[in-house]
Amino acid sequence: MSVDLPGMIVQSVGEAIVGETLDGTVVLWNRAAEQLYGYPAAEMIGQRADRLYPPGRPDGERIRRDGSRIRVCSRAAPIVDHAGVTVGVATTSWLPENDRLGHDLRTPLNAVLGFTETLLMRLPGPLNDEQEHQLRLVRTSAEQLLARINQLP
């Protein structure tokens, strides 16, 4: 049985790893890159990485698949062949700590808002007046909390 230990390591790392040729063609895209940028590996490998960069390339800013912009911290290193010739670049990217915290809080909060809206639309069934009142309080509190999270630097 052959084990691709280097490939397993690249896929297991928590930071986004993107490998590109010198012309910007993506040749490596790990799971963390999928999560950070929203593009599945199959959609990015063989494509140019410049779709991640906004016009003017503000430092550290990237464009996700859904069109939203995020700030990232990144580190780049040359990829060299056996003769020492640079053939590409490997970039490691991650969210700054404040952005990571905001993402970690937004995701479950958006789920709370979605489930609350589903209940208020009575999709699962009828509500009595008290249940509707309580759900509206939950929705209002979640919206206020989300607004505060969105103000994080």
Side-chain angles (χ1 to χ4, degrees):
M1 175 170 91
S2 175
V3 175
D4 177 21
L5 192 57
M8 291 167 51
I9 292 168
V10 168
Q11 290 302 326
S12 298
V13 171
E15 290 84 20
I17 299 176
V18 178
E20 302 171 40
T21 60
L22 292 177
D23 71 354
T25 301
V26 175
V27 294
L28 177 93
W29 188 266
N30 73 347
R31 277 194 272 293
E34 290 181 338
Q35 293 171 346
L36 182 62
Y37 298 117
Y39 290 97
E43 193 172 323
M44 284 303 295
I45 293 177
Q47 302 299 313
R48 293 186 45 82
D50 57 6
R51 70 173 63 180
L52 300 175
Y53 303 106
R57 291 185 138 180
D59 189 37
E61 192 171 292
R62 301 290 185 270
I63 301 173
R64 300 186 81 243
R65 185 175 191 232
D66 65 7
S68 64
R69 293 182 180 216
I70 56 171
R71 281 182 330 180
V72 298
C73 298
S74 62
R75 184 176 307 120
I79 301 171
V80 296
D81 66 11
H82 295 297
V85 175
T86 300
V87 295
V89 64
T91 305
T92 306
S93 302
W94 61 95
L95 290 174
E97 199 56 45
N98 282 350
D99 290 351
R100 185 173 298 146
L101 174 62
H103 174 75
D104 290 348
L105 293 172
R106 274 186 211 93
T107 300
L109 194 51
N110 281 322
V112 168
L113 284 166
F115 291 133
T116 302
E117 238 5 86
T118 298
L119 292 170
L120 285 169
M121 290 174 13
R122 294 170 173 73
L123 293 178
L127 296 171
N128 65 38
D129 289 342
E130 182 59 25
Q131 290 170 324
E132 183 175 347
H133 173 73
Q134 295 299 323
L135 285 169
R136 289 186 189 285
L137 289 175
V138 169
R139 181 179 62 191
T140 300
S141 295
E143 288 170 343
Q144 290 171 351
L145 184 55
L146 185 60
R148 298 198 87 182
I149 291 167
N150 287 335
Q151 292 173 349
L152 289 174

